[in-house]
Amino acid sequence: MGGPLLVDAATGSGKTVATLAPLLEHAELADHRILYLVRTHSQEQQVLQETRAIAARMGHPLLAIGLAGRQRRCFLLESTAEFQSATAEESGKLCADRKRATQNSLEAGFLLQPAVELPEGASLDMADLQGCPYYARVLQADLEGLSDRFAQKLPSTHEFEEYCREENLCAYELAKKLAGRARLVTAPYAFFFHPQVRRTLFQWLGVGPDRVDLVIDEAHNLPEYLRELSSVALPREAVRRARSEIAERGDFALPDGLHATDLLDQVGRVIDDLVREFSGEEDGVLPPAALEEALLSSLGGTSHRLDTFLGSLVTWGEALREERRKARLIPRSAVHSVALALLNWPRLEPPQYVKVVTREPRPAVEAYAVDARAPAEPIGECHLSVHLSGTLRPMEEYRDALGLPETSRAISVPSPFPPENRRLFFDRSVSTRFEELQSDPDAVARLGRRVAEVLAELPVRTAVFFPSFALMEQVLASGLRDALPPTAVIESRSASMGDLWRSLEGFRQGPERGVLLGVTGGRISEGVDFPDDQLEAVILVGLPFPKPTAKREALRTYLDLTTGHGWEYCVLGPTQRGMLQALGRLIRSENDRGVGILLDHRAAQFSSVLPGLEPLGDLKGAVLSFFGAREGTKGDAPGPAGELPAPNG
Ligand code: SF4
């Protein structure tokens, strides 16, 4: 039976293996391929690990291949500084030229040697690199033999990449060639949802979508991912870069005499004016044709004249991209991107698109795609689709957002772990409700004092999640910082992945009463596992209601119109998911135990999704009865709440 199946099941419930085992059996019988879409590298590793275990039980070899972008797998260009910023399209063009050169070299009888290893920190000049020795090795490889070898061993993506590196084989090209022979292929979402990449992916797989069984992991992310993928932004900074690109190479006149730099100056001024006029603190809704009308009024003439100008800029940008490509540089042109965005702009119409201006994080005009149904359509072309998540509820929201049929089957699997392993409390004394924070000058400091009081009672590693970085910084500044242990780890929005993992390792290996501060919906609260005693308490400071930005309000209006459930789908659903994801860090296996404390009196309204939630009374007694007496680590315990300075002192 085909069609969509929605599965809401807690982490640790075995949903990956429960999905894969019958699917692999079905795929072998029907000669289908399983395409398993993942959000993160660690999910991909888990899928391959489970497949290895299932294959061992099946008793015969099974080929499973993990796909990843060139950014991670191109051994030739990885040491070139410029390559780090290339988009998938740009790195694809760079690679295509080198592959062509490789073919020619091989046909001419030249032998290509892999580049000598670079000393740490050094970088290559891309212009020096012609053909690709790693590709040459793939062309000469015994694919049959490699396919057998990988089917026997079922390497993880890391092991596959290591093998390729040792053998000087291009990991990207080899995975692509083996994908057609694999029963299971894992890939990031973009491989399937980006229209051009999808076409190529199906060529690699060698089958049509009707013979593909699709699995979407961490599916609760998908509607927002698709909205972002389909949205088009024109940042003010891109217009400035486009102007500099022309000024550096020599200005030129457009068809009726206006200079290209003058046109871009006017585009920049129009964006500045629109941001000033329509944006609130962060963003604002723009009347649908405001940008076009403002440009025409600034330039004079008709929309045909404007399109002619933009067409000339696109042609100029194409020529620059080609010139850079021939010089073996990244084929990029800011003029090309800006002119194309402006040419397409009038086609991005309501109700699927809402035009907005943003002031933060950067001044820009944006066509925000509120409709995730069109980019989700390829899901319905596959034989079947399984949508997996630990926080997919409310499942009607997910189904309606993607336009999946009402007949879609849905399964909700309760947590398999003993309910007594987790206790949940909510505190009636504080809240992050906007009106309360605005009207009470002591509200922020009171939150800080309450966090410190609770931390002082918890004898275990604890994560404290705030609804936003801004509020976390305010609460820290109000005095909480002084009450934290010196080893406390604080999530930073600008930290690199490497720095983040190093900090988390420090927290995991650190003192028993370690403290970690982060935000709900952030990289820690949604993507990191803390098994066993690595994390035993989570404090949620307030509820993670989404910020009422112009985009959020536009989405709510759209969902009201299309489903009649704007508030539930756009506000309550994401809040619920944010809480469950953050609290979900606590229990990852049947032996995990933990306490969740929600510092917000409004938490009671979510009791239907937080079974066992009870008001916080005697915290000390509750903690003692749950964890028993534990010795704190001297010097690392948070200071008593009284140590927090008063708001003005
Ligand atoms: S073939 Fe592979 S290693 Fe060579 S340029 Fe392309 S992606 Fe890079």
Side-chain angles (χ1 to χ4, degrees):
M1 185 155 76
L5 171 67
L6 281 51
V7 182
D8 178 85
T11 303
S13 58
K15 59 180 179 293
T16 310
V17 72
T19 303
L20 277 177
L23 264 190
L24 280 166
E25 202 176 310
H26 164 263
E28 287 199 337
L29 281 173
D31 194 19
H32 282 193
R33 305 298 163 82
I34 299 171
L35 179 59
Y36 201 112
L37 302 179
V38 291
R39 276 288 274 173
T40 64
H41 186 46
S42 59
Q43 286 160 7
E44 191 172 35
Q45 299 283 41
Q46 199 197 334
V47 175
L48 292 173
Q49 253 172 32
E50 306 277 15
T51 308
R52 197 186 288 186
I54 297 167
R57 292 185 80 111
M58 287 169 109
H60 60 259
L62 190 152
L63 184 59
I65 287 291
L67 299 175
R70 283 189 186 83
Q71 217 69 38
R72 214 181 81 195
R73 288 199 165 163
C74 177
F75 300 151
L76 182 74
L77 301 173
E78 65 182 3
S79 306
T80 60
E82 222 191 326
F83 182 67
Q84 305 307 322
S85 67
T87 63
E89 188 207 347
E90 290 165 349
S91 53
K93 284 191 169 158
L94 290 172
C95 170
D97 288 344
R98 282 157 177 88
K99 285 196 299 188
R100 210 170 303 117
T102 308
Q103 294 266 22
N104 295 341
S105 300
L106 287 180
E107 277 159 27
F110 294 123
L111 198 65
L112 289 154
Q113 293 296 341
V116 242
E117 215 166 284
L118 286 170
E120 201 162 333
S123 70
L124 288 172
D125 182 349
M126 263 196 328
D128 285 345
L129 302 168
Q130 286 207 31
C132 176
Y134 304 100
Y135 183 58
R137 292 272 296 155
V138 172
L139 290 180
Q140 293 160 335
D142 166 17
L143 290 180
E144 196 69 45
L146 283 172
S147 172
D148 287 347
R149 177 193 172 95
F150 293 137
Q152 296 286 350
K153 291 190 179 284
L154 261 170
S156 68
T157 45
H158 179 69
E159 288 161 346
F160 175 79
E161 284 159 12
E162 282 308 296
Y163 174 84
C164 289
R165 199 177 279 279
E166 274 166 27
E167 296 295 320
N168 291 316
L169 288 154
C170 169
Y172 180 89
E173 290 295 326
L174 185 61
K176 182 174 133 180
K177 289 204 183 289
L178 294 178
R181 300 163 183 254
R183 182 63 63 201
L184 181 140
V185 172
T186 64
Y189 284 8
F191 276 76
F192 184 77
F193 289 107
H194 198 295
Q196 279 145 8
V197 186
R198 183 172 58 253
R199 269 194 292 280
T200 318
L201 172 66
F202 278 107
Q203 283 167 14
W204 299 350
L205 293 178
V207 293
D210 57 323
R211 282 182 48 207
V212 166
D213 301 341
L214 186 70
V215 184
I216 303 171
D217 209 354
E218 294 297 325
H220 63 275
N221 291 304
L222 188 59
E224 202 46 41
Y225 170 85
L226 293 177
R227 288 185 192 112
E228 291 298 329
L229 186 73
S230 311
S231 297
V232 177
L234 179 54
R236 176 67 178 88
E237 174 57 21
V239 180
R240 194 197 58 72
R241 275 204 312 273
R243 191 199 187 281
S244 312
E245 202 170 271
I246 291 177
E248 276 164 23
R249 285 164 182 81
D251 204 355
F252 60 94
L254 295 162
D256 71 355
L258 179 74
H259 275 81
T261 52
D262 291 337
L263 171 64
L264 289 168
D265 284 340
Q266 298 204 41
V267 172
R269 270 197 296 276
V270 162
I271 294 178
D272 287 340
D273 291 346
L274 293 174
V275 171
R276 252 193 309 275
E277 186 179 349
F278 291 99
S279 168
E281 217 173 90
E282 203 166 292
D283 62 1
V285 174
L286 201 59
L291 178 63
E292 303 89 301
E293 283 165 10
L295 273 176
L296 289 178
S297 126
S298 165
L299 291 165
T302 61
S303 55
H304 176 70
R305 178 173 177 256
L306 175 59
D307 284 356
T308 311
F309 289 166
L310 295 173
S312 300
L313 290 188
V314 170
T315 310
W316 187 92
E318 288 275 17
L320 175 61
R321 282 174 17 133
E322 208 38 45
E323 187 187 310
R324 286 180 57 85
R325 181 178 178 170
K326 282 192 185 131
R328 298 199 294 275
L329 297 170
I330 290 184
R332 177 181 296 169
S333 159
V335 170
H336 187 263
S337 314
V338 167
L340 260 192
L342 285 169
L343 264 179
N344 284 326
W345 189 261
R347 280 175 225 141
L348 308 171
E349 290 178 325
Q352 284 80 17
Y353 284 89
V354 174
K355 304 282 175 61
V356 294
V357 277
T358 56
R359 194 184 289 274
E360 294 291 339
R362 63 198 172 157
V365 288
E366 184 176 335
Y368 174 53
V370 283
D371 188 357
R373 291 175 302 180
E377 272 169 16
I379 295 174
E381 292 164 18
C382 294
H383 172 69
L384 60 82
S385 60
V386 184
H387 306 248
L388 294 177
S389 167
T391 50
L392 206 57
R393 285 175 293 165
M395 290 200 260
E396 299 77 19
E397 173 201 341
Y398 179 83
R399 184 199 64 198
D400 293 349
L402 297 184
L404 300 176
E406 286 200 5
T407 50
S408 303
R409 287 156 298 148
I411 305 175
S412 196
V413 184
S415 167
F417 307 131
E420 62 274 16
N421 281 7
R422 185 178 82 168
R423 285 197 73 180
L424 292 179
F425 300 99
F426 75 99
D427 185 356
R428 289 200 173 103
S429 69
V430 283
S431 169
T432 54
R433 197 163 158 256
F434 180 75
E435 291 78 6
E436 287 176 41
L437 294 180
Q438 291 294 304
S439 63
D440 180 356
D442 187 41
V444 170
R446 193 165 59 246
L447 277 171
R449 289 198 292 276
R450 196 64 184 124
V451 172
E453 280 168 10
V454 174
L455 282 175
E457 297 299 344
L458 292 168
V460 292
R461 282 193 196 86
T462 302
V464 185
F465 293 120
F466 292 79
S468 68
F469 280 105
L471 186 65
M472 177 167 82
E473 278 148 23
Q474 283 175 34
V475 175
L476 279 168
S478 78
L480 176 62
R481 193 182 294 275
D482 300 329
L484 293 175
T487 52
V489 172
I490 302 176
E491 183 178 7
S492 148
R493 48 185 130 193
S494 57
S496 67
M497 271 322 271
D499 288 343
L500 182 71
W501 282 108
R502 273 185 288 280
S503 304
L504 289 177
E505 227 21 61
F507 171 74
R508 289 182 169 117
Q509 312 291 336
E512 267 178 30
R513 302 188 67 184
V515 178
L516 170 69
L517 269 71
V519 295
T520 32
R523 288 183 288 180
I524 300 175
S525 75
E526 295 219 352
V528 182
D529 270 352
F530 297 96
D532 307 325
D533 62 356
Q534 287 182 9
L535 185 73
E536 291 181 272
V538 166
I539 301 173
L540 292 190
V541 183
L543 302 184
F545 281 107
K547 213 171 171 185
T549 58
K551 282 202 224 174
R552 177 74 39 189
E553 288 304 304
L555 180 60
R556 184 175 146 187
T557 309
Y558 177 76
L559 291 174
D560 251 338
L561 280 173
T562 50
T563 68
H565 298 287
W567 169 257
E568 293 93 318
Y569 290 1
C570 195
V571 180
L572 288 184
T575 308
Q576 181 179 310
R577 269 195 293 278
M579 287 190 305
L580 294 177
Q581 282 284 343
L583 292 168
R585 302 303 105 201
L586 279 177
I587 310 289
R588 315 301 281 180
S589 72
E590 63 181 330
N591 299 321
D592 268 5
R593 299 177 82 239
V595 166
I597 299 172
L598 291 88
L599 298 183
D600 201 306
H601 55 74
R602 298 169 297 172
Q605 65 182 280
F606 290 95
S607 54
S608 63
V609 291
L610 300 170
L613 181 70
E614 52 190 305
L616 185 59
D618 170 19
L619 175 62
K620 196 182 192 121
V623 164
L624 196 68
S625 76
F626 187 76
F627 289 115
R630 290 198 195 182
E631 270 185 36
T633 308
K634 219 175 167 194
D636 280 311
E643 285 178 9
L644 272 174
N648 301 321

